[in-house]
Amino acid sequence: MASVYGKRLKISIFGESHGQAIGVVIDGFPAGMAIDYDAVAALMRRRAPGGTLSTARKESDIPKIVSGVSKGFTNGYPICAVIENENQRSTDYSNTSGDKSRLPRPNHADYAAMLKYGEHTELHGGGHFSGRLTAPLVFAGALCTQLLASRGIEIAAHLRQILNVTDSRFNENVTAKELRELKTHAFPTIDKMAEEAFTTIINSAKMRGDSVGATIECAAVGLPAALGEHMFESVEAEISQLMFAIPGVKGVEFGAGFDFCRMYGSEANDAYEYRDGKVVTKTNNCGGIVGGMTTGMPLVFSVAMKPTPSIFVEQDTVDLDKNIDAKLSIKGRHDPCISLRAVPVVEAAAAIAIVNLLFNADGRVV
């Protein structure tokens, strides 16, 4: 199973949703960074469940660092953090991964996993395919976020769209201060009206036993120009690889993305100008990336997340033991909009990708 990412900075995620613990090993992180444990905890809390709009599963998600840190500073050795699972309820999944019947859940990895790994596949709570595995990813991203902040790079994301309702988008001159302020919002939107509308939509889906997807927009500011490579090691490729490691992500676009198909070149092109002695672009349709390299403008991208596949509405499936069509009613504790808790995950994954891009060939951070 490919659960290792990176060439210079390497991230390995381990564990299952209902196993004893989940965790991460970070190899290649530079020595000498003082860890802000409060900042780590704050990012972990934003991902953790809580409130009426998320799953009822409660996990403290306190990472226990077992190596790679000495007296509060990273020491250059592999950093290993373990997060205990404290609130599993595996009986909710007996109809999908128990001994008596196998009913693959629509839009879950169950069917493909059963074929690939056979009878020993662990699928309680989604197993290794679960969104629970984003917790150690967020821990790794928290360390990378602190490293980037020390170099003046800030990252933040927000819910951009749910159904036909949209939040404001980042403007071409979004600042680090605005991104820091956004991360303090109790609900991840720029506009209060969008928060109210999104809350209504999510609650409505929850009452019906259904779910909704969303688009998440993320921005990073303070990046140097000419970061990245063309073709196979482009900024887009590096970020996309991390985004598609997040369960539920089905699309990634940069800048105007698919809206480019509605534009003429004269509308789409980002014209250059000098501003305060610095080369900038008047617009930022390309999301701060051209030719696979950064332009120095804010890096802006969006991800599309599918609705949470675990819904309480009865669904059609098959019984793999009896070889017949079947009906499935899912039990358990699930988010009506997993995208709400995915916002900090997108930020964390972006931070990991950007740190990897900042590494020189000799392993030093630019």
Side-chain angles (χ1 to χ4, degrees):
M1 181 174 285
S3 56
V4 180
Y5 159 82
K7 293 182 178 180
R8 301 179 183 96
L9 179 72
K10 295 183 179 179
I11 308 291
S12 177
I13 304 289
F14 62 86
E16 298 91 40
S17 177
H18 286 204
Q20 288 186 349
I22 54 179
V24 60
V25 177
I26 309 167
D27 196 357
F29 198 90
M33 188 186 83
I35 297 179
D36 184 340
Y37 292 99
D38 290 338
V40 171
L43 190 59
M44 298 293 292
R45 281 196 300 270
R46 290 174 59 210
R47 191 219 71 92
T52 61
L53 299 181
S54 68
T55 173
R57 179 175 177 174
K58 302 298 182 184
E59 296 283 359
S60 60
D61 281 357
I62 300 174
K64 180 181 180 182
I65 301 174
V66 298
S67 67
V69 177
S70 302
K71 298 180 180 179
F73 288 83
T74 57
N75 59 27
Y77 304 142
I79 300 170
C80 178
V82 177
I83 302 170
E84 292 185 0
N85 289 326
E86 303 167 337
N87 194 214
Q88 313 97 314
R89 205 165 72 187
S90 298
T91 54
D92 289 337
Y93 299 89
S94 59
N95 63 341
T96 60
S97 52
D99 296 326
K100 295 184 178 180
S101 75
R102 295 184 297 160
L103 307 178
R105 297 165 295 172
N107 271 23
H108 275 280
D110 297 349
Y111 178 62
M114 290 175 188
L115 292 179
K116 189 174 185 70
Y117 300 109
E119 63 179 303
H120 298 293
T121 301
E122 169 54 55
L123 291 174
H124 290 105
H128 193 71
F129 301 94
S130 170
R132 177 93 185 108
L133 275 295
T134 60
L137 183 69
V138 168
F139 171 80
L143 298 191
C144 290
T145 297
Q146 292 179 35
L147 184 63
L148 295 175
S150 70
R151 287 159 172 76
I153 298 170
E154 295 287 344
I155 302 171
H158 69 110
L159 289 176
R160 192 184 101 192
Q161 182 171 354
I162 299 179
L163 298 183
N164 62 345
V165 178
T166 59
D167 188 19
S168 295
R169 300 190 65 167
F170 291 123
N171 66 58
E172 62 269 18
N173 296 309
V174 63
T175 66
K177 180 180 178 181
E178 290 171 326
L179 295 186
R180 286 192 295 269
E181 198 275 332
L182 174 60
K183 288 190 284 188
T184 67
H185 292 189
F187 195 95
T189 56
I190 296 173
D191 296 335
K192 186 68 176 179
M193 290 183 63
E195 173 187 344
E196 294 171 355
F198 289 166
T199 300
T200 298
I201 291 171
I202 296 170
N203 273 323
S204 177
K206 180 180 179 180
M207 290 178 63
R208 299 196 307 269
D210 214 332
S211 64
V212 289
T215 300
I216 298 170
E217 184 181 46
C218 184
V221 301
L223 290 169
L227 182 68
E229 305 290 342
H230 67 296
M231 296 186 73
F232 304 121
E233 294 188 9
S234 69
V235 175
E236 295 101 327
E238 200 72 34
I239 290 175
S240 295
Q241 183 178 358
L242 265 297
M243 293 305 127
F244 284 117
I246 301 171
V249 170
K250 302 302 289 184
V252 180
E253 65 175 7
F254 293 85
F258 288 99
D259 285 340
F260 276 123
C261 68
R262 302 182 180 92
M263 300 180 183
Y264 289 101
S266 55
E267 299 171 301
N269 289 349
D270 296 318
Y272 291 104
E273 66 176 1
Y274 276 102
R275 190 181 304 155
D276 299 325
K278 180 182 178 181
V279 175
V280 298
T281 57
K282 294 183 178 181
T283 55
N284 194 24
N285 291 320
C286 283
I289 308 168
V290 176
M293 300 172 290
T294 54
T295 64
M297 293 293 287
L299 191 161
V300 182
F301 67 93
S302 299
V303 299
M305 295 198 70
K306 66 184 181 183
T308 313
S310 291
I311 58 177
F312 301 120
V313 176
E314 187 178 71
Q315 301 175 80
D316 292 326
T317 185
V318 293
D319 188 317
L320 296 175
D321 288 331
K322 299 178 181 178
N323 296 323
I324 59 172
D325 294 340
K327 296 288 185 179
L328 175 64
S329 295
I330 293 177
K331 300 177 182 179
R333 301 161 293 176
H334 309 288
D335 294 80
C337 181
I338 195 63
S339 305
L340 185 61
R341 292 168 53 213
V343 169
V345 182
V346 169
E347 294 172 2
I352 295 169
I354 292 171
V355 167
N356 216 20
L357 286 162
L358 284 168
F359 268 86
N360 281 327
D362 61 2
R364 294 179 299 168
V365 182
V366 175

